[in-house]
Amino acid sequence: GNIEHRDAVLDYDSVEPMTDEAGSPVMRWDGVTTKAHPATGQQVPDDTAQVVQWRYVNPRQAQWPAVDFIVGNPPFIGAGAMRGALGEGYVDALRGAWPKVPESADFVMYWWHRSAELVSAGQAERFGLITTNSLRQTFNRRVVQSALANGLSLLFAVPDHPWVDSANGAAVRIAMTVAGAVQGDGKLLTVTSERSSEYGEVKVELAQRQGLIHADLRIGANVAAARAMQANMGLSNRGVQLFGAGFIVTPVEAAGLGLGTVTGLEKHVRQYRNGRDLTSTPRGVLVIDMFGLGVDDVRARFPAAYQWLLERVKPERDQNNRATYRNNWWFFGEPRRVLRHQLNGLPRYIATVETAKHRVFQFLDINVMPDNKLVAIALSDALQLGVLSSAAHLAWATAVGSTLEDRPVYVKTTCFEKFPFPGDETGLTSQLAERIRSLAEQLDAHRKARQAAHSTVTITGMYNVLEKLRNGEVLTTAERTLNDNGLVSVLHSLHDELDAAVLAAYGWTDLSLPADTDALLLRLVELNAKRATEEAAGTVRWLRHEFQRGNGQVEQSAIEGNAEVDGGTDESAPAAVATIAPKPWPTGLADQIKAVADVLADAGTSLDLDGLAARFTSRGRWRERLPTILDALVALGRARTQDGGRWVDVGR
């Protein structure tokens, strides 16, 4: 049978228009049509371009015919693009019908999960699927890990292979996997070289290895099985997600809104950095951050900034499907309350670009607001900056992280929270710690000084040259200029000395990187397991002891607020409450709605998205369903919204 159509995973009786309580069709902006704003002239969503939303009646898992082997090339649609490509109603029906597939998983993983179920149950011998190479990414990998834990083995895999469709010019990266209900080794093929031919196809050379293939499509150290450690928890987060380009202003525009003349505005207009600002040339822009203020306060205290946001942010937010984004249009869609708490009181913090060719960590001043594409780590000690910048950690991050096309992705839950830092039991003496601190401070200062001295020097440029120097490649004329301006050979020596110091801190001076990367990963996995055992027995090697043992632990489980407002604390925001044991996140939609309603009813106060998410133990992008569930509870009369992006039980 044909399993490559979208209806191969979802069956239903019929499709009908969604209706509201009054029986009128539910309409939404078509996501495409725009019009000129009368005041600014900028293109904004055209609220008259509405399309009907559809409901799938009696959705259920589609049944597949009885076969011996399953082979297919299912649709490639990322989790974030599914609603736009398939429609709200279809995605809701799909996720409701397949509760065991994480909501953060790509569309293709429904086929992978279903195939694995059938093979595990003995209803098919093997399956082989072509998927995107994102199969190895954290949220897709969970599906694979679950299947392997249920008795399947990967018998053949190609983690990353070019795919060129000469008919329409599409060029993507794919993975190929074959699995069976047997225990044993598999054949792993990895691409060693690629070159295009005269007719558009790609000629590929492959290297072959035999061994136990793990869920991340690797042979060797089972980094995918590493566990998160308490010592690293509560310190890392992605930056804010604006949901409105109108929040970003230039220094000139900010001055026109009153920065420097209107009292208190300086606390709400901050420096802003995204990934390109860090890897290339900083834009020098600012961001309007009204988090912690009600809309009436913004209008009364900062009328020019209010009008700016009203005209440039609200039209876009008005068309957002999530009620919390529509109703709280004057501040960021994801303001990251937890991150703000983590950074509170620090003079600086560590940041890295989530997706980048070169994995670089650097200090950012506490006044800099990080973008959603940055991973912020709430540590100000250069000792941790040095360890994170070392070849040991970079090898770990490459192995356990994800990839986007051919660029590594730093996933905080695997790259940071599972990484075992060196400690006194591994050989980290006070002298070594000071040595690592000194080298890390020099490294951070050197890069920033060269960028300040030469506008053409960028992080990406410096590390491109550094890579060629390490490989012994001859530099071009432009690269020699960059080497001179960026003093890249100095950068080279700093990294070499830092790498050696960090390996000494682990007691692994017998290793030479990158040649001994496999051995390094095996030792890090063993150290991770040892630390996890220690933590279970009560010994935790905290990275930021006072914060994590005290206020930080409250934040991780049930932080509610203390939103900072001009002159002190927002009295409308309740203080942090005592530690509450988080609950597991349910799998079924009905159980999820009930669980969120119960949390609101038991809370005794209002909660925001971060506060709600902290009441559940599961990880991943499952929390993206929270706004939809909250909208449903509001519609059912079980909850009501408050200013500042908070929800409260109707009985409160």
Side-chain angles (χ1 to χ4, degrees):
N2 180 10
I3 65 166
E4 296 177 7
H5 189 270
R6 72 176 200 171
D7 286 347
V9 288
L10 184 67
D11 198 5
Y12 45 88
D13 291 344
S14 61
V15 181
E16 62 184 24
M18 290 184 186
T19 56
D20 58 22
E21 294 178 354
S24 301
V26 175
M27 309 288 286
R28 295 238 171 101
W29 176 50
D30 65 8
V32 177
T33 309
T34 61
K35 63 181 180 181
H37 190 282
T40 67
Q42 296 179 355
Q43 292 296 309
V44 297
D46 184 350
D47 53 9
T48 66
Q50 300 284 309
V51 293
V52 174
Q53 298 300 295
W54 299 94
R55 184 175 75 88
Y56 289 72
V57 180
N58 189 26
R60 55 196 179 274
Q61 297 179 7
Q63 298 302 307
W64 290 2
V67 295
D68 295 323
F69 300 96
I70 302 168
V71 180
N73 179 17
F76 296 179
I77 305 175
M82 283 171 59
R83 292 189 180 275
L86 303 172
E88 294 275 341
Y90 182 91
V91 173
D92 288 339
L94 176 73
R95 289 174 173 167
W98 293 94
K100 292 184 180 180
V101 179
E103 291 187 11
S104 55
D106 293 345
F107 194 35
V108 71
M109 298 311 296
Y110 289 87
W111 278 260
W112 213 99
H113 171 77
R114 179 56 173 161
S115 300
E117 279 190 331
L118 293 173
V119 173
S120 294
Q123 298 178 36
E125 290 187 36
R126 292 183 184 182
F127 72 88
L129 297 178
I130 295 174
T131 69
T132 60
N133 67 347
S134 62
L135 180 80
R136 297 176 296 164
Q137 292 190 9
T138 306
F139 302 121
N140 291 331
R141 195 161 67 210
R142 291 173 180 165
V143 176
V144 183
Q145 185 70 54
S146 177
L148 299 186
N150 200 31
L152 262 63
S153 291
L154 289 169
L155 307 176
F156 175 86
V158 183
D160 184 42
H161 194 285
W163 178 277
V164 178
D165 184 347
S166 59
N168 57 28
V172 297
R173 309 294 298 186
I174 65 162
M176 292 177 265
T177 48
V178 175
V182 295
Q183 294 297 311
D185 292 345
K187 182 186 298 184
L188 180 70
L189 301 182
T190 54
V191 175
T192 57
S193 70
E194 304 173 23
R195 60 183 186 277
S196 298
S197 73
E198 57 181 319
Y199 298 108
E201 70 271 21
V202 178
K203 294 184 178 179
V204 176
E205 293 183 4
L206 299 163
Q208 178 179 318
R209 291 182 66 186
Q210 195 81 16
L212 182 64
I213 303 177
H214 303 304
D216 56 355
L217 306 190
R218 292 172 56 93
I219 289 175
N222 190 8
V223 295
R227 289 177 280 180
M229 294 178 294
Q230 295 181 54
N232 300 22
M233 300 300 288
L235 296 174
S236 59
N237 227 314
R238 293 169 72 181
V240 299
Q241 196 164 4
L242 303 185
F243 285 95
F247 288 108
I248 301 174
V249 294
T250 66
V252 172
E253 290 168 338
L257 299 178
L259 183 61
T261 57
V262 176
T263 302
L265 185 60
E266 70 280 358
K267 297 181 180 180
H268 298 282
V269 178
R270 304 176 56 181
Q271 296 180 59
Y272 186 62
R273 298 290 184 271
N274 65 9
R276 183 165 294 183
D277 290 327
L278 266 57
T279 60
S280 186
T281 304
R283 296 167 296 168
V285 297
L286 307 170
V287 67
I288 303 172
D289 179 19
M290 293 300 177
F291 178 72
L293 296 182
V295 66
D296 293 339
D297 291 333
V298 177
R299 182 170 53 199
R301 298 174 58 189
F302 312 117
Y306 173 88
Q307 178 166 304
W308 180 277
L309 298 176
L310 182 73
E311 294 176 346
R312 291 166 175 80
V313 174
K314 191 173 185 298
E316 179 180 345
R317 285 286 192 87
D318 282 345
Q319 306 306 321
N320 198 287
N321 293 338
R322 295 182 181 175
T324 180
Y325 294 163
R326 295 194 304 273
N327 298 339
N328 301 289
W329 55 267
W330 65 96
F331 62 81
F332 310 150
E334 296 293 343
R336 304 293 189 229
R337 182 185 295 271
V338 170
L339 174 62
R340 293 168 190 265
H341 180 71
Q342 292 168 342
L343 297 179
N344 186 39
L346 293 178
R348 61 186 183 179
Y349 61 95
I350 300 170
T352 188
V353 181
E354 184 181 53
T355 304
K357 178 182 179 182
H358 302 291
R359 179 59 48 213
V360 176
F361 296 84
Q362 61 182 275
F363 278 130
L364 292 183
D365 187 89
I366 197 63
N367 293 320
V368 175
M369 176 67 74
D371 174 78
N372 183 58
K373 294 303 181 182
L374 300 184
V375 176
I377 300 171
L379 295 168
S380 60
D381 190 342
L383 172 61
Q384 280 93 33
L385 176 67
V387 174
L388 291 173
S389 300
S390 71
H393 178 66
L394 268 57
W396 172 270
T398 300
V400 304
S402 300
T403 56
L404 179 62
E405 298 169 344
D406 60 345
R407 292 169 296 160
V409 178
Y410 194 82
V411 182
K412 76 177 191 70
T413 53
T414 56
C415 298
F416 179 77
E417 292 178 358
K418 296 182 179 182
F419 178 70
F421 281 74
D424 53 5
E425 93 285 17
T426 67
L428 178 62
T429 64
S430 58
Q431 292 84 358
L432 266 176
E434 286 307 313
R435 172 67 172 158
I436 293 171
R437 283 191 182 95
S438 174
L439 288 168
E441 294 283 13
Q442 292 178 61
L443 177 66
D444 193 54
H446 175 75
R447 293 180 305 212
K448 290 172 179 173
R450 304 324 300 165
Q451 288 182 281
H454 300 277
S455 61
T456 57
V457 172
T458 66
I459 290 292
T460 298
M462 283 191 285
Y463 279 85
N464 281 340
V465 171
L466 176 59
E467 185 175 55
K468 294 191 73 171
L469 290 176
R470 283 173 167 165
N471 294 334
E473 299 178 41
V474 178
L475 302 182
T476 66
T477 300
E479 288 168 342
R480 286 197 296 271
T481 300
L482 183 54
N483 180 49
D484 292 340
N485 292 339
L487 299 181
V488 180
S489 290
V490 175
L491 182 69
H492 193 337
S493 67
L494 286 169
H495 270 294
D496 286 350
E497 292 178 34
L498 181 61
D499 293 343
V502 171
L503 284 177
Y506 281 108
W508 299 336
T509 54
D510 59 314
L511 298 182
S512 176
L513 299 178
D516 296 327
T517 295
D518 287 346
L520 171 77
L521 293 175
L522 283 169
R523 294 184 189 184
L524 287 172
V525 169
E526 291 172 358
L527 183 57
N528 170 274
K530 178 183 176 183
R531 293 279 178 83
T533 301
E534 286 181 350
E535 291 186 346
T539 299
V540 182
R541 302 174 186 275
W542 306 103
L543 293 178
R544 194 174 153 201
H545 185 275
E546 302 244 342
F547 174 79
Q548 291 173 290
R549 285 295 305 272
N551 200 22
Q553 286 298 291
V554 175
E555 173 270 323
Q556 278 300 295
S557 59
I559 182 71
E560 307 300 351
N562 285 342
E564 185 177 336
V565 187
D566 300 333
T569 299
D570 181 1
E571 295 181 355
S572 67
V577 300
T579 301
I580 297 174
K583 305 175 182 179
W585 179 250
T587 55
L589 178 58
D591 291 337
Q592 292 168 1
I593 293 174
K594 182 179 184 301
V596 174
D598 290 345
V599 165
L600 287 175
D602 295 340
T605 185
S606 63
L607 296 174
D608 67 354
L609 284 177
D610 290 326
L612 277 165
R615 300 299 180 97
F616 299 98
T617 57
S618 298
R619 296 190 172 279
R621 294 173 61 184
W622 59 270
R623 62 165 286 165
E624 293 181 1
R625 181 176 283 274
L626 280 178
T628 302
I629 291 174
L630 290 163
D631 290 348
L633 289 174
V634 171
L636 292 170
R638 294 285 305 278
R640 56 187 174 86
T641 59
Q642 293 184 335
D643 280 351
R646 307 178 70 83
W647 288 263
V648 66
D649 183 73
V650 290
R652 300 289 175 184

